[in-house]
Structure formats: C-alpha cells, structure tokens
Amino acid sequence: MEFQYRGNELYCEGVNLSDVAGRAGTPCYVYSWAMIEKRYRAYDAAFGDLPHTVCYAVKANSNLSLLRLLAGLGAGFDIVSGGELFRVLKAGGDPAKVVFSGVGKTAVEIEYALDSGIFSFNCESEAELALIDELAGRRGVQARIAVRVNPDVDAFTHPYISTGLREHKFGVDISEVEGVYARALGLKNLLLDSVSCHIGSQLLDASPLFEAIEKMRALVGRLRAGGAPIRHLDLGGGLGVPYRCGDEAPVIADYGGRVRAMLAAQDLHVMIEPGRSITGEAGALLSRVLYRKRNGEKEFVIVDAAMNDLLRPVLYHAHHEIIPLTKNGRPDITADVVGPVCESSDFFARDRVMADVQPGEAVAVCTAGAYGFVLSSNYNSRPRTPEVLVEGEAWRVIRKRETHEDLIRGE
Ligand code: LLP
C-alpha cells in the first residue's frame, strides 16, 4: 500500500507525511502517483484484448499535473464541462479520446467541444441531440453521439450518487431509447454509432453493473437491428473504494475480466469512465489539531481543515478514516472531529474511536483523492489548500495554497 506506517511515522510511498505537513503546511492534500498509475494500468490490463479506452472521469480530481501524467499513460478522459475540456487540453490530453457527459451542456460548451475534435457526446435528451445536430451542421462536421441510457438498475449506493433509476434526471429511459435513435437517424450531422450508461458511483458490490451491461448488450442488438450502426459502448464509471477499514471493494481485474467475457463476441469498442477507483485511495487530506475541548459528555478534536476543504462527510455522510501522522502510543479516545467553519455540519467524524491526538499533532483524513479538492470552496473566506504529489522519495506542490489576495480576485 502506498500509505503506510514505517515505525510510528505515516508515509506516502517513500515520503514521511509529517515532513510534508511541516513544509507545505496544513490543511493540504497529498496524492500518490504510484497508486494512480497502478489503478489506471489495472483497468487497461483488465480489458486486455477487448478493444477499449479508459476515459478517466476528470470530475473526481482535475489537477493539471495528474491529468498530464494520465495523458502520458495514454488515458482518455470523461468530461462534464467546458472547464474540464480546457484542463484536459492544457494537460496535453488527446481530444480524440474525450467523451463529453452531462445533462446540461450549453451551446458554447458544445461548440468548444466540436471545435476541439472530441471523440463523442454522451447525450441525455432529444433536445440536446437537436442542438448538437444544428451546431455540427453549421460547422460542416458530423458529431459522434452516444445516447446515455438509463437502464433502470438500482446501484444500491447513496441516493445522491445513484443515477440509474427512472426517477433520476439522467439518461433516456431504456424503453424509449430505440425510438430516440430511430428519430435521430434523420439528423444528418450526427453519427449514431455509440451508446452509453452510468448507473451510479461508489458501488461496493459490482453486480448491478453487470446487470446493466447485460441490458445494454441486448439493447445494442436491438439498436443495430433498427439501423443504428453501433460500434462503441460506454459503460460509465462506478467501482467503489474501501472508505472504512474492512470494506471490500470490487477488484478491477475481476470486473474487467467479466466485462470482457460478456462483450467479447459483440464487435464493440468498450469505453469506461472510472474516477474514484483511480484517484480515491491515492489521496489524503493532512490536517493539524488546533484545540481539544469537551462539552458535557462530548469530546471534540478541532482541526485546521474544514467542510469547505472536504465536503463528503457532510454531503453524503461519508466515512473517512482519520489517522495520526505520528503514532503517540496513548490509548484511543471517542470524539467528534470538527473544523473551524461556523456550521454545526462542519464535521469529519462523529463519535469516532480514534487516536488521542493533541494540539499540534497532525492527522490524515484518508481516501480523499477523489471528490475531495474538486468539491472544495472558499466558504468562510478560507483560502483553498495546496495539493502535493508524491513520486517515490520525492514530493512537489502541484497547486499552491491560495492567498487572501486570491480570495478577492475578480471582485
Ligand atoms: N461517468 C459519469 C457519467 C458520471 O456521472 C460519473 C460520476 C463517473 C463517470 C465517475 O464515477 P466514479 O467512477 O467516480 O464512481 N461527489 C460524489 C460522487 C459523484 C459522482 C458523479 N458522477 C462523491 O463524493 O461520492
């Protein structure tokens, strides 16, 4: 594992994290490049000889340095905004390996994507198809389209990150998809040779993914019979990571192997859009204890990171393990870990059995590499944290800590 104790000191690869916390300051995000690379390569290897493209979901962690390194490995990218496209292009990503997802693409974003020559648009409504057809026509180009199908499969994950049921805003209901393709075949500026789905995120049990793939495989047959020359199938992201000590997450090699078996004879190029399972476990948020206090029966550990730096505990009641950068040998305590933001919802953990960390000591909030920094804000006029990348024995700042001047820029 890339985050591990050597003696009493927590290391990321060959770097002592107390050293990073001391020199880069806290709060601060730290990422392990070795782990991100390993995960990307695991996906690539798992699909083996099945024609495939791994399109990393940029939304999970969009730091330019990470995108640049992933692009160097040959990754494609799944984007959801013009801003993410800008990042991918700046990072040297290949536009021909970019898929554009999302229910609310604007005309400006679609034009930017057409002009950049992205691979395809994952479309979520007939109105969007009509707009892309019009904008592509004006440019004299054909836009590759994958209608995003809502396969009506329950992902059994947190309601905020479950997307594959009829009641969700995402995709086109599977019972209506054939009609959509039939009508869209009349739109001459669209190339309708792809289809996509994504049923949700943080799946610790992969069986709903296989259920969805089964439905998609059957759908591909029906679409082809209806005249749509389907060649590309995008399966979305969704594999979960073990946030809790003891959680078991799907193994990428097993997932890929099963997908390969299911889709081998289908003459399809398969695309996947993993985010969390590539960067999630590769990151931690380092934070220092400011104060300890007790209110009645309750013990509080007040740290210098807050909900604006890592929103997941508040937004999804997500569990993140919190461990000391230096083990101090004292018996564990039960405490709430809270930040300085003026909200009762500003917590990282409640009634957590954890190390007895005292003011001045530092902790790592684990598994924070995905949907961590990207969801951070300047709430309470808190400058956003730096991001640090570890590669072997070396580390460097890949995003500077914001200053007070940064806070008011543009006002
Ligand atoms: N593709 C599409 C179309 C998506 O909507 C998503 C995630 C992904 C791929 C990547 O999914 P992943 O492999 O990371 O599960 N902020 C939430 C997660 C939101 C996920 C949104 N969509 C969290 O912190 O749990």
Side-chain angles (χ1 to χ4, degrees), residues 55 84 212 257 273 342:
C55 295
E84 287 191 350
E273 304 170 348
C342 297

Side-chain angles (χ1 to χ4, degrees), residues 78-127:
D78 165 45
I79 59 163
V80 290
S81 69
E84 287 191 350
L85 177 55
F86 177 75
R87 283 180 175 276
V88 167
L89 296 176
K90 277 278 174 202
D94 180 357
K97 290 186 185 172
V98 169
V99 297
F100 193 169
S101 304
V103 287
K105 304 175 192 75
T106 65
V108 170
E109 289 176 316
I110 293 167
E111 288 173 323
Y112 180 28
L114 286 170
D115 292 341
S116 305
I118 67 162
F119 183 76
S120 68
F121 293 88
N122 288 348
C123 294
E124 306 224 8
S125 64
E126 290 197 64

Side-chain angles (χ1 to χ4, degrees), residues 57 59-60 78 101 148 161 198 200-202 236-239 243 273-277 312 316 370-371 375:
K59 65 170 82 67
D78 165 45
S101 304
R148 171 161 172 189
I161 53 177
H198 168 80
S201 197
Q202 183 51 13
L239 289 197
Y243 283 107
E273 304 170 348
R276 189 189 320 260
S277 50
R312 302 195 71 261
Y316 314 108
Y371 309 111
L375 273 164

Side-chain angles (χ1 to χ4, degrees), residues 138-159:
R138 264 191 233 160
R139 288 169 162 67
V141 297
Q142 241 197 347
R144 174 175 284 114
I145 298 297
V147 173
R148 171 161 172 189
V149 177
N150 188 328
D152 199 28
V153 169
D154 196 333
F156 295 106
T157 183
H158 189 279

Side-chain angles (χ1 to χ4, degrees), residues 39-55 209-210 213 233-239 251-264 268-274 277-278:
R39 291 301 172 85
Y40 172 81
R41 290 194 192 279
Y43 269 108
D44 197 31
F47 287 85
D49 53 7
L50 186 71
H52 66 273
T53 308
V54 182
C55 295
L209 291 169
F210 299 125
I213 294 168
L233 171 60
D234 184 339
L235 301 174
L239 289 197
V251 176
I252 293 169
D254 298 347
Y255 169 72
R258 177 115 178 242
V259 173
R260 193 152 51 146
M262 291 173 83
L263 298 176
L268 281 169
H269 164 237
V270 172
M271 316 182 74
I272 39 162
E273 304 170 348
S277 50
I278 291 190

Side-chain angles (χ1 to χ4, degrees), residues 16 51 59 83 113 147 174 187 190 197 228 235 309 341 343 355 385 404:
N16 184 337
K59 65 170 82 67
V147 173
I174 190 155
L187 302 174
L190 302 184
C197 71
L235 301 174
D309 302 309
V341 159
E343 301 254 1
T385 67
H404 287 162

Side-chain angles (χ1 to χ4, degrees), residues 363-385:
V363 294
V365 183
C366 301
T367 326
Y371 309 111
F373 183 87
V374 287
L375 273 164
S376 67
S377 77
N378 291 122
Y379 187 42
N380 278 200
S381 286
R382 289 168 53 86
R384 275 180 298 174
T385 67

